[in-house]
């Protein structure tokens, strides 16, 4: 997880920038708040698309993304 936290105008700020995990030899992206997306960076770094699960999509949608289903 990559988390943004701190103070803004006397209010506490806390939230995810990226939430990912490695499960069964695949990278599961649960949340991606990066402007250009971490998924493209992973692919550009050589991670095969069939090793990346876009977990923020429902299972029935994942089969249409070009990435791993589960």
């Amino acid at each position: 997880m990559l988390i943004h936290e701190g103070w803004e105008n006397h209010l506490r700020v806390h939230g995810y920038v990226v939430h990912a995990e490695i499960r069964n030899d695949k990278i599961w992206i649960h949340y991606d708040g990066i402007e250009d997306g971490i998924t493209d960076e992973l692919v550009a770094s050589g991670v095969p698309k069939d090793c990346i699960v876009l977990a923020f999509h429902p299972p029935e949608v994942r089969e249409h993304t070009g990435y791993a289903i589960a």
Side-chain angles (χ1 to χ4, degrees):
M1 285 184 264
L2 179 59
I3 300 171
H4 169 77
E5 61 95 16
W7 293 91
E8 207 171 281
N9 297 324
H10 303 289
L11 296 173
R12 179 84 171 132
V13 177
H14 182 268
Y16 296 114
V17 178
V18 173
H19 177 187
E21 73 174 306
I22 298 173
R23 184 191 311 169
N24 298 326
D25 296 323
K26 293 184 180 172
I27 300 171
W28 287 64
I29 308 294
H30 295 283
Y31 177 78
D32 186 357
I34 295 178
E35 187 174 330
D36 293 327
I38 195 170
T39 307
D40 291 336
E41 293 290 327
L42 291 169
V43 172
S45 297
V47 177
K49 286 185 172 186
D50 63 352
C51 291
I52 301 171
V53 178
L54 302 178
F56 51 83
H57 288 303
E60 63 272 9
V61 172
R62 291 181 200 154
E63 65 184 277
H64 305 290
T65 63
Y67 292 89
I69 296 170

